Every structure is written in C-alpha cells, then in structure tokens.
Amino acid sequence: MAQEIERTVKTRLGSLAVDMNRVIRFPRGIIGFEDCKEFTLLQLKEDSPFLILQSMTRPDLGLMVADPYTFLPDYNVKIGSAEQKILKLDNIRQIAILVTVTIPPGRPEETSLNLMGPIIVNSRSRVGLQVPQVDTKYPNRFLVSDRENEAAEALNEIQDAGSGKLAGSEVGAAAK
C-alpha cells in the first residue's frame, strides 16, 4: 500500500495541502480534545511568534499557539521521564515548546499565554504531548501586553484568512 505523501485539510483558513512529514501525532490528544490525535502547525506570518495548531480531522479546531521564549526568555518546563518516553526524546534539542494563546474578542490588549499547559513537540519523531506543569512559578495567564501589536496583527491575519485574504501560509514551520 502506498504511503500518503500529502493530505488536503479543511481549516478555518481554507483548504490546505499538508505534507504528511509535517503532521504531529499526539497519542493523548490535547486537553479538552483527547479524540484529536493529528495536528499540523500553520505559520501565519514568517516573523510572527504566533502559529495555528490545526487538527488534521476537525476543520473547526485550530488553536493559536506561540513560542513562549519570545515573551519569557527564561521560561522553564519540567518534563517527567514518562513524558520523555512518550515523546521519544533522546536529546533536549529535539523539542519545540509551544503555549496556547487566548485573544478575547475585541480586546487584543488582553492577549494571554497559558504557561501551565505547554505543548511539547519532538521535531524528530513528530510526536506531541501537552504536559501540565505543577509547582511552577508561572501564572496560568500571562498577559502579552508589551507585544499586543503582534497579537492584534495575528488576530487580523486569522480574520483575513477566514475571508480568503491569506496568501501563501506555510505549513509546519516550527516542526521542521
């Protein structure tokens, strides 16, 4: 049987062709969406820290995520040995860390990052896992107020994309 090379995925941004080498498998799903096991990352803009973690099976499920180190250079995540095994980690350099982003409708100045439930992706094995953090010094909601212009731009790009204005969105840039 031939291996699937590319799959067309319907998203809120429109239909996109996704290279199967850019699909990230989440054995446990994501908290709240445990039935969704395959995702890909959609880059909205080349230099933006914001990405969409798009379900491969549910067009309506696209979570805005960000590289937390853009906002908190000293952000630390604890990954237990069980999680390391699921992620198939051999080397810490294999991982990318993402956090979910919340932008309240009409209030981009209140954009926040969820630092308590980072999403860890092994870019080599393309396995992802959400790893809730306990005993951490970080708040559940971290306001991105000093980067609000980028958050507003990301929100505008999503809204433009929904109306068919997004051109050339790249798939999976953070999972290379």
Side-chain angles (χ1 to χ4, degrees), residues 101-144:
V101 178
T102 300
I103 304 175
R107 300 187 319 264
E109 69 277 4
E110 295 179 24
T111 298
S112 62
L113 307 177
N114 176 353
L115 301 176
M116 300 296 285
I119 297 168
I120 315 298
V121 175
N122 181 335
S123 57
R124 181 178 287 171
S125 66
R126 296 187 318 261
V127 174
L129 188 66
Q130 190 166 19
V131 182
Q133 300 292 292
V134 293
D135 298 330
T136 180
K137 64 181 179 182
Y138 302 108
N140 187 31
R141 286 187 43 198
F142 175 81
L143 292 176
V144 188

Side-chain angles (χ1 to χ4, degrees), residues 4-164:
E4 189 177 21
I5 298 172
E6 189 175 275
R7 188 185 312 166
T8 299
V9 178
K10 291 182 180 180
T11 74
R12 289 186 296 178
L13 307 176
S15 291
L16 300 171
V18 176
D19 182 335
M20 292 306 290
N21 289 321
R22 295 189 185 258
V23 174
I24 305 164
R25 287 163 183 77
F26 287 77
R28 295 181 180 169
I30 293 180
I31 296 172
F33 306 100
E34 289 80 5
D35 60 323
C36 292
K37 309 288 186 191
E38 293 184 331
F39 289 83
T40 192
L41 286 167
L42 305 176
Q43 188 169 16
L44 296 171
K45 188 176 172 184
E46 191 167 314
D47 59 345
S48 174
F50 299 103
L51 304 160
I52 300 292
L53 184 62
Q54 176 65 51
S55 167
M56 293 292 291
T57 55
R58 284 187 48 189
D60 63 323
L61 181 56
L63 302 171
M64 183 176 277
V65 295
D67 173 356
Y69 298 102
T70 300
F71 308 97
L72 286 166
D74 64 341
Y75 179 58
N76 286 313
V77 173
K78 294 179 183 168
I79 306 172
S81 58
E83 287 90 2
Q84 290 181 31
K85 189 172 182 177
I86 292 169
L87 288 165
K88 301 178 182 174
L89 281 182
D90 297 324
N91 185 323
I92 197 76
R93 294 175 190 220
Q94 296 171 331
I95 64 170
I97 297 175
L98 302 167
V99 294
T100 55
V101 178
T102 300
I103 304 175
R107 300 187 319 264
E109 69 277 4
E110 295 179 24
T111 298
S112 62
L113 307 177
N114 176 353
L115 301 176
M116 300 296 285
I119 297 168
I120 315 298
V121 175
N122 181 335
S123 57
R124 181 178 287 171
S125 66
R126 296 187 318 261
V127 174
L129 188 66
Q130 190 166 19
V131 182
Q133 300 292 292
V134 293
D135 298 330
T136 180
K137 64 181 179 182
Y138 302 108
N140 187 31
R141 286 187 43 198
F142 175 81
L143 292 176
V144 188
S145 57
D146 61 334
R147 304 289 299 256
E148 70 185 59
N149 289 337
E150 286 188 38
E153 285 178 24
L155 182 61
N156 287 336
E157 287 184 33
I158 291 171
Q159 291 169 341
D160 288 347
S163 63

